[in-house]
Amino acid sequence: MKKIINGSLTFLLLSMLVACTDEKDVYARIHPNLLPSEGHTYSLQAVGKEITFDLLEESNITNVGPITNEASYKSLNEQYPKLELKKEPAFIVFDENGLVLKTYDYEEMIDFSQNPEESFYRER
């Protein structure tokens, strides 16, 4: 009986340790389709302003893909209520671990995409 209890406690502690060290955020766990398919790239959800690869390349941005464009923030909120979008345009950027930027400012999204190493997660 003591071995079963010790084994159960060990399993519980290891499970808690693994859960605490997981770097992925809630978006990554619930909606992995929002994440980029490759490491060291970003995926972009754009709402209310169409973003294309050509438009990003004009700003020397080549680390973003895939890009998803939505016409309305309400439709994206229906799909992903945790995003809690309030208006458009909106730009939501994900890396392999989850959300890294949520902004309503196009220039801020461009600046982040050009200099991701200088940025940190921001939600505005």
Side-chain angles (χ1 to χ4, degrees):
M1 183 69 172
K2 192 174 182 178
K3 284 184 178 183
I4 292 174
I5 292 173
N6 284 340
S8 296
L9 286 174
T10 302
F11 177 76
L12 179 64
L13 289 173
L14 285 174
S15 297
M16 289 173 55
L17 181 62
V18 168
C20 291
T21 59
D22 188 3
E23 291 183 23
K24 294 188 182 291
D25 72 8
V26 67
Y27 301 99
R29 286 191 221 95
I30 296 173
H31 301 292
N33 56 310
L34 293 173
L35 307 181
S37 57
E38 299 177 24
H40 308 295
T41 62
Y42 297 91
S43 64
L44 171 64
Q45 297 280 326
V47 182
K49 178 174 176 64
E50 186 171 346
I51 304 296
T52 64
F53 289 110
D54 290 338
L55 185 63
L56 294 177
E57 284 180 3
E58 288 174 11
S59 297
N60 296 317
I61 298 170
T62 58
N63 60 350
V64 174
I67 300 169
T68 304
N69 290 289
E70 286 286 334
S72 164
Y73 77 93
K74 292 177 182 178
S75 65
L76 200 59
N77 275 344
E78 287 176 11
Q79 288 179 286
Y80 309 108
K82 289 205 175 285
L83 288 177
E84 299 175 345
L85 298 174
K86 310 247 187 281
K87 62 182 182 177
E88 50 197 62
F91 308 96
I92 307 96
V93 180
F94 297 90
D95 70 6
E96 67 272 4
N97 294 313
L99 182 69
V100 292
L101 177 70
K102 179 172 107 176
T103 185
Y104 301 99
D105 183 338
Y106 175 76
E107 292 302 320
E108 183 176 16
M109 182 273 297
I110 292 295
D111 183 53
F112 173 86
S113 299
Q114 289 173 332
N115 305 296
E117 62 281 346
E118 295 174 15
S119 302
F120 56 92
Y121 169 71
R122 298 181 288 233
E123 183 172 334
R124 296 181 197 246

